[in-house]
Amino acid sequence: IAEMTVSLLDTSIKGNLHTRDVQSETPAVKGKLTASGPDLPTLIQIAGQFEPEKDSRLKSLGKYLAGTKDKSFAVATEFDVDLKTGNVDVPDLSMQALGITMTGNLNGRQVQSETPAMQGKLKATGPDLPLLLQMAGYFEEAENPVLGKLGRQLANVGNKEFTVETKFDVDMKNDRINVPDLTARAMGITVAGKLEGENIESDRGKMAGQLQITGTDLSGVLTAVEQAELAEVLKSVAIEAGISGNKQDLRLQPLSIKATLSGKQIPNSPVAVALNAATQVNLKKQTLVLDSLTLSGLGLDVKGNLNAQQIIDAPAYDGNLVVAPFDLRQLLKQLNQKTPLTADAKALGKVALQASFSGTKTSIVLKKVVLVLDDTQLQGDVSIMDFANPDIRFGIGIDKLNADRY
């Protein structure tokens, strides 16, 4: 088709199309296409008429989008796709729809195989990330779509704009990955990262990269996801991870999470809470090691470690935890959480814990437990088998307890 012009429902489609082996399972298509129109939701509803299901997702999505302010769309692209060789070339893609703008290009080889190679770049911006999440929710298979629910929760957040930009070069046959730049910004959250790897499936392979996630002015987001109390005190979050190793031995070192809290109930505000750990993952052996875990801030001093096996097939874990004495009542106040009502207003002023633990997805065992609660010290072992139908067993010794305080 050397030249094509279509006008339908105020929608204009122009372009050209060259095809080969269209009757086979591996056709080839090459061409150029431009399309624009004032009402994308209506076109989506029309497309839904051809779905075999009675409850068409496209029809439902089209009806929902009919309430958006900007219904127009425009697409311009060139493409050369050959499913027999597995080559895909999209040298130019430009799209505007529902206020969203996306540009990019893509080149792929052996895309129909288990070891495809793809490279390209993508940039997308838009005024309404919650709307995009709700659109994605229409295609989730789960009974209660997570993305759809999140989109509805965030719909009333003030700043809903988003930007995503990335470049990528991935070759699964040669175990090579290169993402020199990834940036994303939305609702006060910024993600920045890069990753480069060679022979990542091999024991001798190597991978190097960084990931940074920062969040400021998160009160609107936290309130939307039913964390209003935390929204009043949490001012910022910063997550940083160094990535090294390979797929068989992936290391996240350093791994740090830092939160800044401030409020009239927090003395010497603002106060930083920091979590640090050295993390090692071996996907081949299905192991996870979380070593030198520390949590500090707001009066907390927590240390521990975790070892997990069969993390994909049948997770099992063990480790140790030490929590130095802290004021639980004061901590809850600082986090803007309700404090338990006790007869003695000073109760829960001293809490400490030390224990070894092990467990699976359905059970947990605590051994050598030492729990300090004000003037009371509790020691013993506790086990809970089968969370669905709990079988609780324990052997506990208590030195003294003044129950009237509670």
Side-chain angles (χ1 to χ4, degrees):
I1 303 176
E3 184 176 353
M4 173 177 63
T5 302
V6 178
S7 296
L8 176 67
L9 298 174
D10 295 325
T11 297
S12 173
I13 302 174
K14 296 181 180 180
N16 58 66
L17 192 65
H18 303 266
T19 68
R20 300 191 309 275
D21 302 326
V22 292
Q23 80 282 12
S24 72
E25 295 182 354
T26 55
V29 183
K30 179 180 180 180
K32 179 183 291 188
L33 177 70
T34 61
S36 61
D39 195 343
L40 179 60
T42 295
L43 294 181
I44 293 175
Q45 290 186 66
I46 293 174
Q49 299 286 348
F50 299 95
E51 286 191 309
E53 296 85 358
K54 182 178 180 181
D55 298 325
S56 166
R57 296 183 183 185
L58 287 177
K59 287 174 62 178
S60 299
L61 176 60
K63 289 179 180 179
Y64 174 75
L65 294 177
T68 57
K69 293 181 179 180
D70 186 358
K71 304 182 183 65
S72 64
F73 74 96
V75 179
T77 184
E78 295 182 45
F79 51 90
D80 187 352
V81 180
D82 189 337
L83 294 183
K84 187 174 183 178
T85 62
N87 293 337
V88 174
D89 186 23
V90 183
D92 182 47
L93 170 64
S94 174
M95 183 188 78
Q96 291 180 318
L98 304 172
I100 300 169
T101 299
M102 184 172 68
T103 58
N105 59 61
L106 176 68
N107 180 266
R109 301 183 305 278
Q110 298 181 340
V111 296
Q112 83 285 20
S113 71
E114 295 182 354
T115 55
M118 303 189 78
Q119 62 178 358
K121 62 180 181 179
L122 173 70
K123 182 177 181 180
T125 61
D128 197 336
L129 178 60
L131 175 63
L132 198 60
L133 293 174
Q134 291 181 71
M135 290 170 61
Y138 277 89
F139 300 97
E140 287 186 278
E141 297 295 337
E143 184 175 343
N144 297 310
V146 176
L147 292 178
K149 179 182 178 181
L150 181 60
R152 291 190 296 272
Q153 289 177 316
L154 297 174
N156 294 321
V157 174
N159 182 10
K160 294 181 279 191
E161 297 178 357
F162 72 92
T163 299
V164 178
E165 188 168 4
T166 185
K167 297 179 182 178
F168 55 90
D169 185 356
V170 180
D171 188 338
M172 301 304 294
K173 185 176 182 178
N174 295 310
D175 295 337
R176 188 184 75 247
I177 181 171
N178 184 22
V179 182
D181 181 49
L182 168 64
T183 59
R185 298 180 182 87
M187 296 189 230
I189 300 173
T190 299
V191 179
K194 59 181 181 180
L195 181 65
E196 184 175 1
E198 294 283 347
N199 300 317
I200 57 177
E201 295 283 352
S202 168
D203 293 340
R204 297 182 179 181
K206 59 181 181 179
M207 187 183 301
Q210 290 181 326
L211 177 65
Q212 294 178 328
I213 303 174
T214 59
T216 57
D217 191 19
L218 301 174
S219 59
V221 173
L222 291 171
T223 301
V225 295
E226 302 176 356
Q227 297 296 324
E229 293 82 4
L230 186 59
E232 293 183 15
V233 296
L234 181 60
K235 303 306 177 183
S236 66
V237 175
I239 302 173
E240 185 172 354
I243 305 170
S244 62
N246 51 55
K247 190 175 180 181
Q248 313 301 335
D249 186 15
L250 178 63
R251 297 174 184 266
L252 301 178
Q253 297 178 0
L255 173 61
S256 66
I257 303 174
K258 183 179 180 180
T260 302
L261 299 99
S262 180
K264 61 182 181 180
Q265 68 274 54
I266 303 177
N268 303 315
S269 293
V271 174
V273 177
L275 173 68
N276 294 277
T279 306
Q280 183 176 356
V281 182
N282 190 314
L283 295 178
K284 184 177 181 179
K285 296 180 180 179
Q286 296 192 44
T287 60
L288 167 67
V289 177
L290 197 63
D291 202 9
S292 303
L293 171 67
T294 63
L295 175 64
S296 60
L298 295 179
L300 288 173
D301 181 9
V302 180
K303 295 181 173 64
N305 60 71
L306 172 71
N307 296 282
Q309 305 81 38
Q310 297 298 310
I311 57 176
I312 299 174
D313 296 334
Y317 57 87
D318 63 82
N320 297 282
L321 182 67
V322 178
V323 183
F326 69 99
D327 188 333
L328 177 58
R329 185 177 293 275
Q330 179 65 15
L331 176 65
L332 292 174
K333 287 181 179 179
Q334 291 178 130
L335 293 176
N336 209 29
Q337 303 295 310
K338 291 182 179 180
T339 56
L341 294 175
T342 56
D344 183 352
K346 296 183 179 181
L348 307 179
K350 180 182 179 182
V351 176
L353 174 65
Q354 181 174 333
S356 299
F357 59 87
S358 62
T360 66
K361 289 195 300 183
T362 60
S363 66
I364 186 169
V365 177
L366 301 176
K367 290 186 175 182
K368 299 180 181 180
V369 177
V370 179
L371 173 64
V372 175
L373 181 61
D374 298 317
D375 298 324
T376 300
Q377 181 168 296
L378 178 152
Q379 299 185 52
D381 300 333
V382 179
S383 66
I384 304 176
M385 314 305 291
D386 190 3
F387 293 150
N389 298 289
D391 176 13
I392 304 175
R393 302 185 182 188
F394 58 88
I396 293 176
I398 301 176
D399 59 353
K400 58 183 178 180
L401 175 63
N402 184 354
D404 292 337
R405 295 188 65 186
Y406 306 96

